[in-house]
Amino acid sequence: MPAFVFDHAWLPQGWARDVAVSVEGGMIAAIDAGGDAGGAGERIHGAALPGLANLHCHSFQRGMAGLSERRGPGDDTFWTWREVMYRFLGALTPDDVEAIAAFAYMEMIEGGFTSVGEFHYLHHDVDGRPYGDIGEMAARVVAAAVASGIGLTLLPSFYANGGFAGAAPLPGQRRFINDVERFHRLLERTRAIAARTPGTVVGIAPHSLRAVTPEALRAVVAAAATGPIHIHAAEQAREVDDCLAVLGARPVEWLLANFALDRRWCLIHATHMNEAETRALAASGAVAGLCPLTEASLGDGIFPGAPYLAGGGRFGIGTDSNIDIHAAGELRQLEYSQRLAARARNVLTLREGESTGERLYAQACAGGAQALARPQGAIAVGRRADFVVLDRDDPDLAGDPAHWLDAYVFVGGRRMIDKVIVGGERLVERGRHAARARIAGRYRAVVARLAAL
Ligand SMILES: [Zn+2]
């Protein structure tokens, strides 16, 4: 029996009318497009898109959004922003982390994401010692995901050094730090915690080539036989220079030469690549995890989008620092950065006449699902019943469906989102999460307490 009958739904072959979807155990069990839409099932007056995966997030950073937009004494860069971030997280308790994450995840669902990849590196107490339960913070992240209803791929980050060549950690980094042995204990504990919440996926996230040595990276990758592997790579020009000086190769070049990058891998940012790296990463089957709003906020640089896409490269999008949690906004910024760099329009497309909005949305759905190892990204049998339903009464959807994805990505964005359904559960109505008042109230108290410190 169908659970929902959508007026319109964006299926892999395109828009269809009167789409009846049956749901079993949170998954899509059957689809009947143009069938007996008058039969059983709840009629949804709207245009359903598959839910998008947010493949890269540091949820606690949502609490410092707006706190780093004041000019410092010298040139402000990623590295001065990082100092603000280290000061901020020096005060966070596990309760704070859970409250901030729940708020960020709720905003993600309202903003068009139905799952998140939490690149989780805030592991220990403020003095750098593990909590009594080494997985305390991981448990808080899982609890926040449960409170919001978002799908979670938890990526415990392995962070060992303060910089290239095994440099000692900085004081601001002590809450992140583990050696290989302790990281494996943390990973085991995280798996046990995640196993209590069905549908939670666990991978690993070696932080970056500056935070782990080649030997340690080999050890943690070898020990993780399955699951996603995420790593920050080539976000900053200085990181590329340092990597060349110490490892004799650029970050993406070094990873390609030293690991069999494949579908399990997701290289976060991959901003600074030369032509050979761009071609090779595109051919590898790995996903580039692009975070366009954060990359713009931090002044990181612009991803080589057109050659990467032309080479068959896979990408997904992430909200990273969570300054503005907005699925359509990320896709719009991605394309607009390309336009500014290329001084051209509709850059991230492959053929004449193609809709840029559809291309961006489809690629991000597929890349996000792959990078988080989650059965989503399409309205199709066997995928999770995740839907972002656009308001059919929005005036920008009054015309031809051929333009609807462009209207969503480039014009209306989250304003158009009416309902969000995750695993068959209706979590958002008229753009608001059902638990908004409770989750926002708890978050407001944390913001007020941190401001008073
Ligand atoms: Zn990141």
Side-chain angles (χ1 to χ4, degrees):
M1 188 206 287
F4 306 109
V5 182
F6 297 105
D7 281 1
H8 299 264
W10 197 53
L11 305 179
Q13 63 270 28
W15 284 105
R17 293 185 71 107
D18 299 324
V19 177
V21 177
S22 303
V23 178
E24 279 172 24
M27 311 294 282
I28 298 176
I31 295 177
D32 183 12
D36 179 22
E42 184 186 358
R43 169 62 76 164
I44 306 276
H45 178 62
L49 300 171
L52 201 58
N54 172 10
L55 61 63
H56 186 68
C57 160
H58 310 288
S59 54
F60 76 85
Q61 292 179 11
R62 176 64 183 83
M64 57 174 279
L67 300 183
S68 65
E69 309 298 339
R70 195 172 287 267
R71 185 166 173 169
D75 284 347
D76 267 347
T77 64
F78 168 86
W79 308 101
T80 53
W81 169 85
R82 198 177 71 159
E83 287 304 314
V84 175
M85 189 259 284
Y86 287 175
R87 278 202 301 281
F88 173 77
L89 64 78
L92 296 180
T93 67
D95 278 348
D96 296 340
V97 165
E98 184 179 332
I100 296 169
F103 187 76
Y105 296 163
M106 177 194 73
E107 286 192 316
M108 284 170 205
I109 298 169
E110 290 180 346
F113 294 109
T114 58
S115 66
V116 62
E118 178 70 33
F119 195 116
H120 172 57
Y121 61 84
L122 186 54
H123 302 304
H124 306 313
D125 208 340
V126 289
D127 60 3
R129 265 181 260 184
Y131 289 100
D133 173 358
I134 194 171
E136 171 78 37
M137 286 297 203
R140 299 309 190 111
V141 169
V142 173
V146 170
S148 70
I150 203 163
L152 176 66
T153 291
L154 183 51
L155 303 156
S157 180
F158 173 53
Y159 201 123
N161 307 110
F164 280 97
L170 303 168
Q173 296 166 335
R174 61 184 166 236
R175 303 190 74 176
F176 321 154
I177 300 296
N178 289 293
D179 59 18
V180 171
E181 184 276 327
R182 194 161 79 185
F183 177 71
H184 283 140
R185 270 197 289 136
L186 172 66
L187 183 59
E188 280 311 302
R189 181 70 188 129
T190 302
R191 287 195 174 121
I193 290 165
R196 301 196 294 247
T197 303
T200 304
V201 175
V202 177
I204 59 167
H207 181 274
S208 57
L209 291 178
R210 59 186 151 80
V212 304
T213 60
E215 302 71 44
L217 180 57
R218 286 192 187 96
V220 297
V221 169
T226 58
I229 306 168
H230 289 218
I231 185 168
H232 293 111
E235 177 178 11
Q236 292 290 319
R238 187 176 110 189
E239 173 196 343
V240 176
D241 295 343
D242 291 351
C243 193
L244 267 167
V246 175
L247 299 178
R250 304 162 59 83
V252 175
E253 179 188 19
W254 190 89
L255 286 166
L256 284 160
N258 287 276
F259 289 90
L261 300 192
D262 60 12
R263 294 179 55 84
R264 291 178 65 200
W265 286 78
C266 179
L267 271 53
I268 305 300
H269 307 300
T271 306
H272 300 282
M273 295 193 289
N274 62 26
E275 276 178 45
E277 289 173 297
T278 304
R279 230 182 357 256
L281 184 64
S284 71
V287 169
L290 309 178
C291 308
L293 289 169
T294 293
E295 289 153 8
S297 165
L298 296 177
D300 286 341
I302 298 174
F303 178 77
Y308 183 76
L309 195 63
R314 302 164 190 208
F315 69 81
I317 53 165
T319 60
D320 195 359
S321 65
N322 296 315
I323 33 163
D324 179 17
I325 294 173
H326 184 190
E330 293 286 356
L331 294 172
R332 182 187 311 163
Q333 180 69 49
L334 173 59
E335 169 68 19
Y336 279 3
S337 295
Q338 302 293 318
R339 292 185 189 189
L340 288 165
R343 292 185 235 170
R345 303 192 72 252
N346 298 310
V347 177
L348 292 178
T349 50
L350 289 173
R351 52 181 185 275
E352 187 181 343
E354 182 175 34
S355 154
T356 306
E358 289 192 4
R359 165 63 61 188
L360 292 169
Y361 202 83
Q363 295 261 161
C365 274
Q370 177 182 318
L372 298 189
R374 306 194 67 82
Q376 63 176 96
I379 300 177
V381 172
R383 306 295 181 101
R384 204 166 62 143
D386 288 6
F387 309 98
V388 173
V389 185
L390 305 182
D391 178 5
R392 216 19 216 105
D393 295 328
D394 191 290
D396 286 312
L397 297 184
D400 186 338
H403 298 293
W404 286 358
L405 258 303
D406 292 324
Y408 173 53
V409 170
F410 294 104
V411 185
R414 77 188 134 213
R415 178 201 83 205
M416 290 182 163
I417 297 175
D418 180 19
K419 303 177 202 311
V420 181
I421 298 166
V422 183
E425 299 282 327
R426 291 171 62 147
L427 298 182
V428 170
E429 291 287 345
R430 306 218 64 76
R432 285 179 74 85
H433 193 287
R436 174 168 258 285
R438 180 164 40 84
I439 291 173
R442 201 175 158 199
Y443 173 70
R444 192 180 301 111
V446 170
V447 171
R449 188 183 72 76
L450 292 172
L453 289 179

